[in-house]
Amino acid sequence: MKRRNFVQNSVLAGASLLTTGLLKTDPAAAETAASDTGKPFHLNYGIHDGMFKNLAGDDFIDQIKFAYDQGFRSIEDNGMAHRPVDQQKKIGDTLAKLGMAMGVFVQPGLGNDNNLLASGKAEHLDKFITSCKEAVEVAKRINGKLVTVVPGDFVRNLPIGVQTGNVIEAIKKGTSIIEPHGLVMVLEPLSDNPDLFLRTPDQAYAICKAVGSPSCKILYDMYHVQRNQGNIIPTLDWVYDEIGYYQIGDNPGRKEPGTGEVNYKNIFKHIYDKGYKGVLGMEHGTAGAGKEGELALIKAYREADSFI
């Protein structure tokens, strides 16, 4: 038996056990789970490397094929720029053959500690410009259009308005490089530590408006929004025309929908009703362990996606 067929049969067996368990407590849910196996979701959720390693193996390409068979139609990969060139091309070819979309990858060579765009210093701007040029080449290999950009940390000896102006000017220079290639940098407000310059969607919104380029948008990571301020749906509406990408993660724990306090079924319906057709990156871990945990993750997305 071919490896992929073996994996598919193993998953179907696991899904059958899962459905049997549901049948004892919720016959309607069990019927839905059985009928939806392999059916594309209403929204375009993007898996990441390692999400299905127990069910499909360690090879990311095998995980991509497995995810397609479960109804997922996109991926994201923060570390794509650091993969070998030949692997980038193989992933791009696999996505093209399956008709799957590429979500975000993180702009190469930059982190919070070496990307202090708020400082206005030439050394940081030069690194940023170089990374924009590198991102263009990575995107060509994977047929990607979205690159995550984090401006870095606050600079404590400058007023916030000056720092904001420095970030805007840097992003303008970056978009002048990527815009001719049809790429979009998505600015991500984060909640990881209090030193970060960019923390809220309204702050990113102001920067996008000032930059004034279709290649500068917001990465609306709902895990970080919930941790920083909550009010996910109203905040989403306020900045909607500048959102270029979404990421998912329940809070607390940053695991799949249904494991924390966020009502993702309501949020997904809201995003769907607004007409969003892009990728929603699954940037979170898995609450359960092993194959059972990965099957539970698929079930969690079926449940959160059942808003129609």
Side-chain angles (χ1 to χ4, degrees):
M1 181 182 292
K2 291 184 178 179
R3 182 178 182 281
R4 189 177 179 191
N5 291 339
F6 175 79
V7 170
Q8 289 174 348
N9 290 340
S10 298
V11 173
L12 288 173
S16 177
L17 290 173
L18 188 64
T19 302
T20 301
L22 276 173
L23 188 61
K24 296 177 181 178
T25 57
D26 191 343
E31 184 177 351
T32 299
S35 64
D36 281 349
T37 301
K39 178 181 176 182
F41 292 87
H42 295 108
L43 288 171
N44 192 5
Y45 310 110
I47 72 151
H48 62 76
D49 193 1
M51 186 157 272
F52 296 126
K53 64 181 179 181
N54 291 289
L55 289 168
D58 290 331
D59 190 290
F60 190 24
I61 289 177
D62 286 341
Q63 294 177 42
I64 292 170
K65 293 175 180 177
F66 169 82
Y68 178 88
D69 291 336
Q70 307 314 305
F72 297 99
R73 291 295 181 266
S74 64
I75 72 165
E76 66 173 20
D77 187 45
N78 287 343
M80 180 67 75
H82 302 291
R83 293 182 183 273
V85 169
D86 63 333
Q87 190 177 30
Q88 292 176 17
K89 291 178 178 177
K90 287 178 182 178
I91 291 172
D93 289 344
T94 300
L95 295 177
K97 289 175 183 177
L98 293 173
M100 296 178 71
M102 178 68 210
V104 293
F105 64 95
V106 173
Q107 190 143 325
L110 297 179
N112 293 339
D113 58 347
N114 66 350
N115 187 33
L116 299 178
L117 298 185
S119 71
K121 291 183 178 179
E123 61 188 279
H124 297 294
L125 181 59
D126 289 345
K127 288 179 183 177
F128 179 63
I129 294 303
T130 298
S131 73
C132 288
K133 294 176 180 177
E134 293 173 354
V136 169
E137 298 307 311
V138 174
K140 289 177 181 176
R141 299 181 196 117
I142 59 175
N143 194 29
K145 297 295 182 184
L146 294 154
V147 55
T148 302
V149 170
V150 177
D153 288 351
F154 277 110
V155 180
R156 298 293 176 177
N157 62 348
L158 289 177
I160 188 64
V162 173
Q163 294 185 62
T164 300
N166 289 338
V167 170
I168 290 168
E169 288 305 305
I171 299 299
K172 282 182 177 179
K173 289 180 171 63
T175 56
S176 71
I177 294 169
I178 70 169
E179 187 175 329
H181 300 278
L183 272 63
V184 179
M185 64 172 65
V186 284
L187 309 181
E188 183 174 16
L190 296 172
S191 64
D192 299 316
N193 68 69
D195 291 324
L196 290 159
F197 171 81
L198 189 60
R199 296 185 62 84
T200 61
D202 58 287
Q203 186 187 8
Y205 182 84
I207 293 170
C208 289
K209 289 299 185 186
V211 171
S213 167
S215 287
C216 176
K217 294 293 179 181
I218 300 168
L219 195 170
Y220 197 89
D221 187 318
M222 293 172 276
Y223 167 77
H224 290 299
V225 175
Q226 179 67 9
R227 276 166 53 91
N228 275 332
Q229 65 190 99
N231 213 29
I232 290 176
I233 289 178
T235 303
L236 186 159
D237 287 340
W238 292 334
V239 302
Y240 182 75
D241 64 316
E242 295 293 344
I243 295 176
Y245 194 80
Y246 294 90
Q247 283 181 327
I248 302 160
D250 214 335
N251 182 63
R254 200 171 190 170
K255 299 298 192 294
E256 66 265 25
T259 57
E261 64 191 357
V262 181
N263 189 333
Y264 268 107
K265 182 182 283 190
N266 279 357
I267 294 171
F268 288 162
K269 182 180 187 304
H270 190 76
I271 292 172
Y272 180 87
D273 288 345
K274 292 184 80 70
Y276 180 73
K277 303 296 183 184
V279 178
L280 296 90
M282 300 159 65
E283 196 186 39
H284 56 74
T286 305
K291 294 180 180 180
E292 293 79 9
E294 292 172 8
L295 287 169
L297 182 148
I298 298 170
K299 175 181 174 290
Y301 270 90
R302 286 295 174 195
E303 171 59 26
D305 190 71
S306 65
F307 49 75
I308 294 179

